[in-house]
């Protein structure tokens, strides 16, 4: 069988001298190590043979891995060596480089989280730089966690578009997803200790803390679960139920039992696994390496690399073309699987890097026309995590995202079967074999559902009279939660930043402090009660007889009070747009607060955030957005089913009317805005200047560099078969 040669006249290694001396050394070193580590027979990779392959324009394939300080990339080197061997056997020239991978789980709630989103753009930049500097034709990506998979996708798509614009050979790539990390379990002795804390809480009159302790024990241990434990253990310590030493001992035991030593992407359906699903949906991942409970073996890796070499001279399979052709497929699979809100930026970013003018409203239009049903029965409490999904896929009960694609087609969702994928075939061709394709093939504990659990899923895009766009993971809310908060008036509890919020939300007296706020008058509370009135809460006449403090307490007990917890000053340009996951965990680990609280922020949320969490608010506070002008005591109209949140006229509300406030908030609160911006500026300087997200688009437009956005001019139109 003749070897593939890049079908293009350009060849920097033939036409320039320097690389001919440098690159054979790196290739030989990589293959020497592969032979030694893997024990494979001699490959015949002499410097002369390497030179000849470079001279004759054989495919130069970069193997892109990640730094081993992230669990998903612990085994990258072994996988990279297997890829290198197969690339050489197929007549190509393998190279290897890695990129730093910033883990949101590690950076959570510290300054590192302010660097996290910026790292996605940095990854895209590094990929472009390395691929261009060394003139690689394509890539095999060892795809890991968090923002890295879509950052690499964005970089490769951007480079592909650039090369096509200048008449060079397109860029080709295939992704090999990291295996899924098994979650931990609570050992019996730790379970006993936690139950003792719960019993102590019950005995001392803290029934809610007891319940919250027991609820947290139901979860499969993951890094995100530890934040929930932190919240409830801190409250227990504040109430004198445990000492600081006990707190730290319990925290230590939870941490060391959270994960095993095999690495991988954490098993919750967070940004890491959402990215895995989306990259697969973009057609970039070979199904044989998509969902695995163990690192891929040589056979699986070989099949993925073989496919790459099968389409390497077919422009329709280039990275930007795959991203464009599969964009709507990816949006719908992301929605159907209840994917991370972060992907609302990352998908937009990938398309904008590829040259297409899209935003969150583009995604919203696709997923709502028609509505995508919920076919993902994921749970961290009932053994239905992504590790279980990987097991079901690896033993052949189902076929991962192919099964999701098939089930969506069954329910009349207009998936594009003609879109190409890295198998060298279209989705329709991949689905032609019905073997184990249906979700009904999993008799016990199915995660992908044959029958949807409800007719909607995904991430909703909101607007209102004080902001342009925001997102909420509606798939992370139960129907009961949606009903509970829909068409409700909420009172603002304002925090200027995450540190203030985390401290405030961990304070056992947080509601007492809100009750004492001077703007929360008896008249305003009665007006809120009148709108939020529910059966069993007492008549309005009964409420009107109460003093302000009594009224507040009754509203809390009857859940008539809704609290919109606003965390401002967290947007991309202000503070790097960190995740507000910890704040939401503090709310969710406090059942009393959870029943009352909606979180609203110009920051973002972790993929495993659940509950009423609304983020990505644009414009952000730093740029004069209305979210930065709110004050504690303001009243907001929450309309989940209408996808709106409006700032209300408080006087009209007291008079019995729901009227959006028509005042110029920026003018009315100009001095406050100036004071807050000064404090934001001081806080902003805590971030190294080189890593600040400045000169970028807002969250609704992917938070991409303005230079990228300026070239994203191609309109995106759904194919007629999907429209």
């Amino acid at each position: 069988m003749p070897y593939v040669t890049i079908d293009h006249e350009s060849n920097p290694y033939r036409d320039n001298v320097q690389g001919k001396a440098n690159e054979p050394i790196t290739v030989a070193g990589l293959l020497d190590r592969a032979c030694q580590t893997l024990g494979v027979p001699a490959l015949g990779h002499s410097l002369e043979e390497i030179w000849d392959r470079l001279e004759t324009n054989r495919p130069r394939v970069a193997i892109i891995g990640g730094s081993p300080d992230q669990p998903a990339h612990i085994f990258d080197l072994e996988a990279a060596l297997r890829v290198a061997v197969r690339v050489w056997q197929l007549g190509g020239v393998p190279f290897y480089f890695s990129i730093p991978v910033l883990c949101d789980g590690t950076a959570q709630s510290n300054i590192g989280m302010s660097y996290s989103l910026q790292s996605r753009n940095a990854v895209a930049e590094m990929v472009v730089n390395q691929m261009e500097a060394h003139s690689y034709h394509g890539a095999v990506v060892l795809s890991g966690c968090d923002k890295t998979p879509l950052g690499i996708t964005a970089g490769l798509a951007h480079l592909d578009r650039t090369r096509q614009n200048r008449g060079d050979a397109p860029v080709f790539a295939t992704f090999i997803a990291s295996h899924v990390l098994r979650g931990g379990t609570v050992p019996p002795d730790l379970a006993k200790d936690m139950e003792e804390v719960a019993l102590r809480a019950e005995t001392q009159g803290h029934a809610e803390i007891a319940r919250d302790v027991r609820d947290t024990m139901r979860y499969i241990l993951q890094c995100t679960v530890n934040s929930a434990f932190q919240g409830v253990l801190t409250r227990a310590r504040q109430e004198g139920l445990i000492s600081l030493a006990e707190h730290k001992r319990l925290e230590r035991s939870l941490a060391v039992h959270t994960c095993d030593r095999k690495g991988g992407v954490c098993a919750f359906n967070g940004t890491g696994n959402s990215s895995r699903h989306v990259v697969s949906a973009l057609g970039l991942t070979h199904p044989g390496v998509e969902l695995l409970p163990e690192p891929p073996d040589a056979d699986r890796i070989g099949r993925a690399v073989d496919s790459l070499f099968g389409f390497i001279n077919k422009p329709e399979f280039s990275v930007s073309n795959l991203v464009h052709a599969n964009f709507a497929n990816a949006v719908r699979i992301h929605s159907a699987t209840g994917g991370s809100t972060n992907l609302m930026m990352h998908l937009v970013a990938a398309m904008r890097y590829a040259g297409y003018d899209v935003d969150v409203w583009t995604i919203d239009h696709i997923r709502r026309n028609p509505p995508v049903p919920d076919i993902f029965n994921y749970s961290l409490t009932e053994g239905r995590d992504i590790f279980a999904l990987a097991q079901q896929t690896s033993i052949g009960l189902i076929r991962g995202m192919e099964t999701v694609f098939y089930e969506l087609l069954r329910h009349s969702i207009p998936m594009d079967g003609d879109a190409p994928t890295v198998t060298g075939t279209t989705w329709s061709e991949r689905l032609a074999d019905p073997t184990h394709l249906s979700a009904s093939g999993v008799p016990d504990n199915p995660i992908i559902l044959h029958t949807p659990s409800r007719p909607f899923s995904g991430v909703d895009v909101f607007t209102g009279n004080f902001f342009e766009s925001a997102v909420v993971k509606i798939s992370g809310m139960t129907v009961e939660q949606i009903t509970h908060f829909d068409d409700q008036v909420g009172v603002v509890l304002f925090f200027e930043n995450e540190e203030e919020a985390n401290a405030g939300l961990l304070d056992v007296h947080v509601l007492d402090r809100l009750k004492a706020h001077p703007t929360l008058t008896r008249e305003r509370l009665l007006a809120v009660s009148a709108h939020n009135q529910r059966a069993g809460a007492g008549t309005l006449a009964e409420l009107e007889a109460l003093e302000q403090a009594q009224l507040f307490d009754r509203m809390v007990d009857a859940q008539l009070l809704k609290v919109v917890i606003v965390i401002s000053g967290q947007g991309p340009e202000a503070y790097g747009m960190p995740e507000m996951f910890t704040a939401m965990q503090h709310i969710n680990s406090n059942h009393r607060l959870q029943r009352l609280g909606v979180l609203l922020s110009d920051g973002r949320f972790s993929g495993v955030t659940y509950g009423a969490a609304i983020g990505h608010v644009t414009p952000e506070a730093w740029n004069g957005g209305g979210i930065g002008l709110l004050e504690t005591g303001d009243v907001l109209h929450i309309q989940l089913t209408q996808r709106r949140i409006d700032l209300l006229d408080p006087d009209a509300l007291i008079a019995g009317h729901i009227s959006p406030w028509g005042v110029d908030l920026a003018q009315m609160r100009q001095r406050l805005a100036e004071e807050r911006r000064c404090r934001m500026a001081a806080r902003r300087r805590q971030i190294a200047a080189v890593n600040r997200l400045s000169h970028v688009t807002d969250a609704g437009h992917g938070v991409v560099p303005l230079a990228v956005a300026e070239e994203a001019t191609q309109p995106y139109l759904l194919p007629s078969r999907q429209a």
Side-chain angles (χ1 to χ4, degrees):
M1 173 180 170
Y3 290 137
V4 174
T5 300
I6 296 297
D7 186 19
H8 198 276
E9 63 183 16
S10 174
N11 183 359
Y13 286 94
R14 180 190 62 225
D15 303 332
N16 300 285
V17 176
Q18 190 67 38
K20 292 181 179 181
N22 290 345
E23 299 297 52
I25 302 171
T26 66
V27 176
L30 177 64
L31 294 172
D32 285 345
R33 189 167 185 180
C35 292
Q36 295 164 8
T37 303
L38 304 176
V40 300
L43 297 169
H45 55 284
S46 66
L47 294 178
E48 291 80 3
E49 174 62 19
I50 298 169
W51 192 96
D52 288 342
R53 292 190 180 192
L54 293 170
E55 174 75 10
T56 55
N57 218 17
R58 299 280 183 78
R60 300 183 292 274
V61 180
I63 305 158
I64 306 176
S67 53
D69 59 346
Q70 215 280 350
H73 296 279
I74 293 173
F75 294 102
D76 272 14
L77 181 58
E78 185 174 330
L81 296 176
R82 296 189 187 282
V83 173
V85 169
R86 191 58 185 156
V87 168
W88 182 262
Q89 291 172 336
L90 292 170
V93 189
F95 302 84
Y96 174 66
F97 70 89
S98 63
I99 54 172
V101 181
L102 198 157
C103 176
D104 278 355
T106 301
Q108 204 67 242
S109 293
N110 64 54
I111 191 66
M113 183 50 77
S114 296
Y115 297 83
S116 181
L117 179 58
Q118 190 273 349
S119 74
R120 185 207 64 193
N121 291 349
V123 164
E125 182 180 343
M126 283 185 284
V127 167
V128 171
N129 289 350
Q130 199 74 10
M131 296 284 293
E132 283 278 75
H134 292 178
S135 302
Y136 301 140
H137 294 118
V140 176
V141 181
L142 305 179
S143 181
C145 197
D146 280 331
K147 300 142 300 294
T148 308
L150 270 297
I152 295 173
T153 299
L156 292 173
H158 190 63
L159 178 59
D160 182 31
R161 181 61 59 198
T162 300
R163 286 189 180 174
Q164 291 188 48
N165 287 341
R166 70 177 186 233
D168 260 347
V171 177
F172 304 91
T174 192
F175 283 60
I176 297 174
S178 177
H179 64 288
V180 184
L181 174 67
R182 184 193 292 269
T185 55
V186 179
D189 58 339
L190 177 57
K192 181 181 177 183
D193 289 345
M194 294 294 290
E195 177 59 24
E196 287 180 1
V197 174
L199 290 171
R200 203 179 304 164
E202 283 180 332
T203 305
Q204 299 185 31
H206 299 288
E208 287 197 348
I209 291 179
R211 180 173 57 188
D212 293 342
V213 168
R214 289 175 177 135
D215 276 355
T216 56
M217 296 293 290
R218 297 169 52 231
Y219 286 86
I220 300 167
L221 288 185
Q222 305 280 342
C223 64
T224 57
V225 178
N226 291 339
S227 295
F229 280 108
Q230 178 195 26
V232 70
L233 290 175
T234 298
R235 287 163 55 212
R237 179 161 52 81
Q238 289 179 346
E239 296 290 3
L241 301 173
I242 58 174
S243 66
L244 177 60
E246 287 179 289
H247 184 168
K248 290 299 178 183
R249 179 178 62 81
L250 293 169
E251 191 177 87
R252 177 177 181 266
S253 185
L254 286 164
V256 300
H257 289 95
T258 293
C259 302
D260 61 29
R261 298 189 180 191
K262 293 184 178 181
V265 178
C266 296
F268 48 77
N269 196 34
T271 302
N273 280 307
S274 292
S275 296
R276 176 200 310 276
H277 306 333
V278 163
V279 172
S280 295
L282 289 170
L284 289 165
T285 308
H286 192 282
V289 291
E290 176 189 82
L291 275 163
L292 299 173
E294 299 285 344
D297 58 22
D299 179 63
R300 289 181 180 273
I301 288 173
R303 279 183 277 157
V305 179
D306 290 356
S307 289
L308 175 71
F309 274 70
F311 63 75
I312 209 162
N313 278 318
K314 299 177 181 178
E316 65 269 28
F317 292 95
S318 75
V319 177
S320 66
N321 288 341
L322 288 181
V323 169
H324 171 254
N326 283 288
F327 177 60
N329 288 337
V331 168
R332 288 166 172 145
I333 285 179
H334 170 260
S335 296
T337 56
S340 166
T341 55
N342 284 315
L343 273 294
M344 297 295 285
M345 285 185 298
H346 302 335
L347 263 171
V348 169
M351 283 291 281
R352 294 184 79 81
Y353 270 91
Y356 293 93
D357 184 13
V358 302
D359 55 25
V360 291
W361 295 105
T362 312
I363 294 178
D364 189 68
H365 174 77
I366 293 170
R367 63 166 288 269
R368 294 179 65 84
N369 293 282
V372 177
D374 189 344
I375 60 169
F376 211 67
N377 192 25
Y378 161 82
S379 172
L380 280 178
T381 62
E382 300 173 16
R384 294 190 302 275
D385 61 4
I386 307 303
F387 184 83
L389 179 64
Q391 288 181 310
Q392 294 168 2
T393 303
S394 65
I395 63 176
L397 295 178
I398 51 172
R399 286 166 40 186
M401 294 306 109
E402 288 183 358
T403 293
V404 175
F405 199 110
Y406 168 78
E407 293 295 345
L408 288 175
L409 281 174
R410 280 189 59 247
H411 292 93
S412 302
I413 302 302
M415 307 297 289
D416 188 359
D418 293 333
T421 77
V422 292
T423 59
T425 58
T426 65
W427 283 100
S428 292
E429 290 169 320
R430 286 170 58 172
L431 270 57
D433 178 4
T435 308
H436 306 302
L437 192 54
S438 171
S440 62
V442 182
D444 302 311
N445 212 26
I447 297 158
I448 302 172
L449 299 177
H450 192 62
T451 301
S453 60
R454 56 186 184 180
F456 62 88
S457 188
V459 178
D460 274 349
V461 183
F462 279 45
T463 192
N465 66 340
F466 66 101
F467 67 99
E468 293 175 1
S469 67
V471 302
V472 60
K473 185 178 173 180
I474 208 75
S475 59
M477 299 180 69
T478 65
V479 173
E480 291 74 19
Q481 286 176 315
I482 296 170
T483 302
H484 182 69
F485 288 109
D486 190 33
D487 191 24
Q488 294 284 284
V489 173
V491 175
V492 169
L493 174 59
F494 186 87
F495 296 101
E496 284 194 12
N497 54 63
E498 184 189 10
E499 285 82 0
E500 285 188 6
N502 286 342
L505 295 172
L506 283 177
D507 185 351
V508 294
H509 302 296
V510 60
L511 290 177
D512 293 329
R513 299 185 192 282
L514 178 61
K515 178 168 58 178
H517 198 275
T519 60
L520 217 58
T521 62
R522 180 174 171 275
E523 290 74 22
R524 190 168 295 192
L525 287 173
L526 282 171
V528 172
S529 296
H531 183 83
N532 295 350
Q533 186 70 20
R534 297 183 185 276
T539 66
L540 287 177
E542 292 173 332
L543 295 176
E544 288 173 352
L546 301 174
E547 297 296 325
Q548 191 267 353
Q550 295 173 315
L551 175 61
F552 183 96
D553 292 341
R554 178 71 68 84
M555 290 174 67
V556 169
D557 292 340
Q559 300 176 41
L560 290 177
L561 183 69
K562 301 296 186 295
V563 181
V564 183
I565 300 159
V566 176
I567 308 178
S568 177
Q570 302 296 125
E573 294 200 70
Y575 210 60
M577 204 178 184
E579 289 183 350
M580 299 297 98
F581 174 73
T582 297
M584 196 67 211
Q585 282 289 74
H586 293 339
I587 296 170
N588 286 331
S589 64
N590 183 337
H591 272 73
R592 194 180 194 207
L593 199 56
Q594 185 186 34
R595 292 192 297 268
L596 309 176
V598 175
L599 186 53
L600 179 70
S601 179
D602 52 5
R604 57 194 176 93
F605 289 98
S606 167
V608 288
T609 297
Y610 62 93
I614 302 166
H616 303 198
V617 173
T618 68
E620 62 172 290
W622 174 259
N623 291 326
I627 189 171
L629 301 171
L630 299 177
E631 292 185 290
T632 294
D634 284 338
V635 280
L636 302 178
H637 188 201
I638 308 162
Q639 303 175 80
L640 295 182
T641 55
Q642 298 300 312
R643 301 185 297 141
R644 287 193 65 89
I645 303 175
D646 289 309
L647 176 63
L648 296 181
D649 183 335
D651 295 328
L653 181 66
I654 291 172
H657 307 296
I658 297 293
S659 299
W661 210 0
V663 301
D664 185 342
L665 205 61
Q667 181 65 34
M668 186 174 79
R669 295 176 177 174
Q670 182 179 1
R671 183 174 178 179
L672 176 65
E674 291 171 354
E675 292 172 351
R676 286 177 174 172
R677 185 173 174 85
C678 286
R679 289 191 289 271
M680 277 192 284
R683 187 166 179 263
R684 193 171 185 248
R685 287 193 291 272
Q686 297 174 13
I687 306 171
V690 71
N691 277 67
R692 288 181 200 150
L693 273 170
S694 53
H695 307 293
V696 294
T697 59
D698 64 22
H701 294 84
V703 193
V704 303
L706 292 181
V708 172
E710 288 168 1
E711 295 187 7
T713 58
Q714 298 182 76
Y716 173 75
L717 300 173
L718 276 169
S720 59
R721 56 186 175 272
Q722 296 184 66

